[in-house]
Amino acid sequence: MSDLSRTVHEKQLPSEEQPAPTPVINLGHLSLLDSTTRSRVIDDIAKACRDLGYFQVINHGINQSVMDNAVKAASAFFKLPNETKEDGHVPRAMGRLQDLQRLYLFQNDLEADENDGWEFITSLSNCSQLQELDFGNNSFTGKLPSSIGNISTTIQVLHLEDNGISGTIPSTIGNLVSLRMLGLGGTSISGMVPDSIGELGNLGQLGLYNTYLSGLIPSSLANLSKLKELFAQNANLEGTIPASLLGMLENLIALALSNNPLNGSIPPEIFKLPPLSKFLDLSYNALSGPIPSEVGRLRNINNMDLSGNQLSRELRERIGECIMLQGRWLDNNLLEGNLPQSLKNIKEAIGTIYSLKQLNLAHNNLSGPIPTLLQNLTSLTELDSSFNNLQGEVPEEGIFRNLAKLSITANKELCGGIPQLHLAPCPKNPMKKDKKKMKSLTIALATTGALLSLAFVIALIQLIYKKLRKRHNLSTVEMADEIRVWHRCVIKIMTCCSIIDHQGQEFEALVFEFMPNGSLNDWLHPKSELPTLNKYSKPKIETRYCC
């Protein structure tokens, strides 16, 4: 086997007393098309880590200057006094790594305070190629130095979360014009958000959550046209949600402003942001008024939380147009009125949200029956409609069979449902009885009408029969024959009439269909020079046989 095909070169040692050789891993083989060779590289790395805990890599492609600077920084660190190395501060010598591009110091026990430890921030101004800096989740305290704004303008990611940093956000933060991600959440930062934050035109994600900020939502945020995610929950922001601000954040996909003392109504402009799809969280503020009708325009929103406010009036049916909604929380408000009941409305309001997983309507003033179509939402795994004024029968399928994820308590007028709910049985519906009575009455009336019509026809025929018999002095048999002849072979009788003329004489008549060829009497007994029947036709007619 040639040296090129080997990934681990073991150096021969003259004596067994010497330490084990350092495995040499050729990372260049990972770019080969031969899968067997690539698998051997991976196995060699695993073996070296498992058996020795160290190895040397060659053909890795890392610039030599970067390696030299890393060695220098390590050497400088090890030359420091033990007291310095043990104090948990980031060494100032970090700034000597002039080609440093990424520095990850998160999840350690590094520290700084008002008097010492922040010097490394100043030294990082020498790292002109720095792109990412993350020292989140450490023990940094004290004020964030204004020199943070002197870090290279090439920096794109800055994470300071979950530290004890206090004081205000330095206005120099606006110098970092290439920032795409800024995380200041989970700190003790206070004061107002500086207007200079509006200079970060490339910012895509801003985290201000769990802080001690104060004042209004800064209008300068409107300049962050590329902002996609804003996390400012539990940040002590106050005032109203500025509609003009939201109109400018046309790329926003996630907005969290919960647990702030925000007041006023929900601006409709929030629901006019088509990209808003991850979540909208405005819960536990002091927002009031109705849910804007524009809510249906967020067709792609996944989660919407408006709970814990003072929202009132009826639940908007257009909320059902948010067809991608998975979680909706509207509990602890002042919503009132009925839940949509008709098939059309329920499809618009709830039924078409086939991806809905969680629905919370608890602690409102909602009334009316529970929509039965809720039981058809197979994705619905949690439903809480407790502490309302709902009435009527509880459905028995779908989510209504999952007692662990269903809460309908404190609705005194609910009934029925599965036995495990221990609700009172529903009374028999008088409307159903009335419907049955109406159906029976309709059938009876129809039958009576048919019988009366039949009786009228029979009476009419008998009347005609008697009149003809009296006028022509026919026998019963002859009269029957005449009637059969007229009805079968001559023409249809339309109706009959009987009146008394001005001389007091009775006049009776039968009304036949119009005869385009004239009267049969004229053909049988001609009184003028009209065409007559031949000697063969008369007997046929008289014997009731039609030509």
Side-chain angles (χ1 to χ4, degrees):
M1 183 179 295
S2 64
D3 290 341
L4 182 62
S5 61
R6 294 179 61 85
T7 57
V8 178
H9 304 274
E10 296 183 355
K11 300 178 181 179
Q12 299 297 324
L13 299 178
S15 172
E16 294 182 357
E17 297 179 357
Q18 293 183 346
T22 300
V24 180
I25 310 296
N26 187 350
L27 295 183
H29 289 173
L30 290 175
S31 62
L32 299 177
L33 297 177
D34 184 6
S35 59
T36 303
T37 303
R38 294 200 305 269
S39 298
R40 187 182 300 119
V41 173
I42 296 171
D43 292 340
D44 289 342
I45 293 175
K47 184 176 185 301
C49 293
R50 182 174 57 251
D51 298 343
L52 296 175
Y54 57 90
F55 56 88
Q56 178 183 351
V57 294
I58 60 175
N59 296 326
H60 42 67
I62 299 176
N63 188 280
Q64 185 63 42
S65 62
V66 174
M67 294 189 292
D68 293 341
N69 286 331
V71 171
K72 289 179 183 179
S75 299
F77 176 74
F78 287 113
K79 289 178 182 179
L80 293 172
N82 288 336
E83 306 84 50
T84 303
K85 289 187 288 186
E86 293 174 357
D87 65 5
H89 293 167
V90 180
R92 302 176 187 179
M94 196 67 70
R96 298 178 184 177
L97 303 176
Q98 296 181 2
D99 296 325
L100 183 65
Q101 295 183 6
R102 296 173 180 83
L103 179 58
Y104 303 121
L105 302 172
F106 58 93
Q107 292 184 342
N108 286 288
D109 197 22
L110 300 172
E111 58 186 33
D113 54 32
E114 292 285 355
N115 301 318
D116 196 14
W118 285 108
E119 292 81 5
F120 79 97
I121 291 292
T122 303
S123 69
L124 288 178
S125 61
N126 297 322
C127 303
S128 60
Q129 300 183 39
L130 188 62
Q131 297 180 15
E132 298 183 13
L133 173 59
D134 187 346
F135 56 92
N137 200 3
N138 277 285
S139 300
F140 292 99
T141 59
K143 295 181 179 180
L144 187 65
S146 59
S147 58
I148 191 75
N150 297 329
I151 296 178
S152 171
T153 55
T154 61
I155 192 166
Q156 299 178 13
V157 178
L158 178 58
H159 285 294
L160 311 177
E161 299 99 334
D162 300 314
N163 281 288
I165 301 172
S166 58
T168 59
I169 301 174
S171 60
T172 55
I173 200 77
N175 297 337
L176 308 180
V177 293
S178 297
L179 270 183
R180 293 184 292 105
M181 187 177 298
L182 174 59
L184 298 170
T187 66
S188 298
I189 286 177
S190 59
M192 299 180 65
V193 178
D195 291 336
S196 61
I197 205 166
E199 302 294 328
L200 306 179
N202 292 303
L203 199 63
Q205 186 182 88
L206 176 59
L208 302 173
Y209 59 90
N210 296 344
T211 57
Y212 295 90
L213 298 172
S214 60
L216 308 177
I217 298 176
S219 59
S220 58
L221 291 180
N223 298 328
L224 306 182
S225 59
K226 296 183 180 180
L227 191 65
K228 293 184 176 181
E229 299 179 346
L230 174 58
F231 305 99
Q233 64 271 29
N234 195 28
N236 203 35
L237 297 173
E238 57 190 12
T240 60
I241 301 175
S244 58
L245 164 65
L246 295 169
M248 302 299 294
L249 302 180
E250 55 187 17
N251 291 303
L252 203 64
I253 63 174
L255 176 61
L257 295 173
S258 61
N259 293 92
N260 286 290
L262 297 173
N263 54 45
S265 59
I266 300 177
E269 285 74 12
I270 283 185
F271 305 109
K272 297 178 183 179
L273 299 172
L276 196 59
S277 56
K278 276 191 175 181
F279 59 81
L280 171 63
D281 188 356
L282 304 178
S283 61
Y284 291 93
N285 282 282
L287 301 173
S288 58
I291 299 174
S293 59
E294 289 82 359
V295 64
R297 299 179 66 170
L298 292 182
R299 296 181 61 84
N300 298 317
I301 193 74
N302 292 143
N303 292 282
M304 183 187 301
D305 193 347
L306 305 178
S307 60
N309 284 286
Q310 300 170 22
L311 302 175
S312 58
R313 302 186 188 177
E314 293 186 0
L315 182 61
R316 293 283 185 180
E317 292 183 0
R318 291 199 62 188
I319 202 168
E321 296 177 15
C322 308
I323 57 177
M324 300 303 294
L325 202 59
Q326 296 182 11
R328 178 169 58 182
W329 295 268
L330 300 171
D331 54 289
N332 291 283
N333 278 288
L334 302 175
L335 297 173
E336 56 190 19
N338 293 350
L339 290 174
Q341 296 299 313
S342 70
L343 182 62
K344 177 178 181 295
N345 290 340
I346 194 65
K347 281 185 176 180
E348 292 179 356
I350 296 174
T352 56
I353 314 177
Y354 297 113
S355 58
L356 188 64
K357 296 181 179 179
Q358 297 174 295
L359 177 60
N360 194 331
L361 302 170
H363 294 276
N364 282 287
N365 295 320
L366 298 171
S367 56
I370 296 175
T372 56
L373 286 185
L374 280 176
Q375 65 186 351
N376 298 332
L377 298 180
T378 56
S379 62
L380 189 60
T381 57
E382 292 186 27
L383 173 62
D384 188 352
S385 59
S386 58
F387 294 93
N388 281 286
N389 299 311
L390 300 176
Q391 307 108 16
E393 186 172 3
V394 176
E396 298 184 4
E397 301 298 330
I399 184 61
F400 297 97
R401 303 187 71 86
N402 187 356
L403 298 183
K405 299 295 183 178
L406 172 69
S407 179
I408 56 174
T409 57
N411 288 281
K412 298 180 180 180
E413 298 186 34
L414 288 177
C415 61
I418 61 175
Q420 293 84 346
L421 291 174
H422 303 292
L423 295 175
C426 293
K428 293 183 178 180
N429 192 345
M431 291 297 295
K432 292 183 177 180
K433 287 184 177 181
D434 292 343
K435 288 182 179 179
K436 289 182 179 180
K437 289 181 179 179
M438 288 296 295
K439 185 176 181 180
S440 301
L441 182 58
T442 302
I443 295 173
L445 289 174
T447 304
T448 303
L451 292 174
L452 289 174
S453 299
L454 180 61
F456 176 77
V457 171
I458 294 173
L460 181 60
I461 293 174
Q462 288 180 345
L463 177 62
I464 295 172
Y465 179 82
K466 291 179 179 180
K467 292 290 184 181
L468 290 174
R469 182 179 179 185
K470 178 180 179 181
R471 176 169 296 180
H472 300 287
N473 196 23
L474 298 175
S475 66
T476 303
V477 175
E478 290 172 332
M479 191 69 181
D481 288 342
E482 288 293 334
I483 291 175
R484 284 197 296 272
V485 169
W486 293 348
H487 281 77
R488 186 179 66 183
C489 303
V490 184
I491 197 166
K492 181 180 178 182
I493 297 176
M494 299 296 293
T495 185
C496 65
C497 61
S498 176
I499 61 173
I500 299 175
D501 61 15
H502 64 283
Q503 297 178 352
Q505 297 180 355
E506 183 181 8
F507 173 78
E508 297 176 343
L510 295 177
V511 181
F512 298 91
E513 288 185 349
F514 174 70
M515 297 180 289
N517 293 324
S519 169
L520 180 60
N521 182 66
D522 294 337
W523 284 88
L524 293 174
H525 308 287
K527 298 179 181 179
S528 62
E529 297 300 327
L530 294 172
T532 59
L533 299 172
N534 58 39
K535 61 181 180 179
Y536 301 105
S537 299
K538 286 184 178 182
K540 290 181 180 180
I541 294 174
E542 290 174 353
T543 57
R544 303 177 306 279
Y545 181 81
C546 296
C547 299

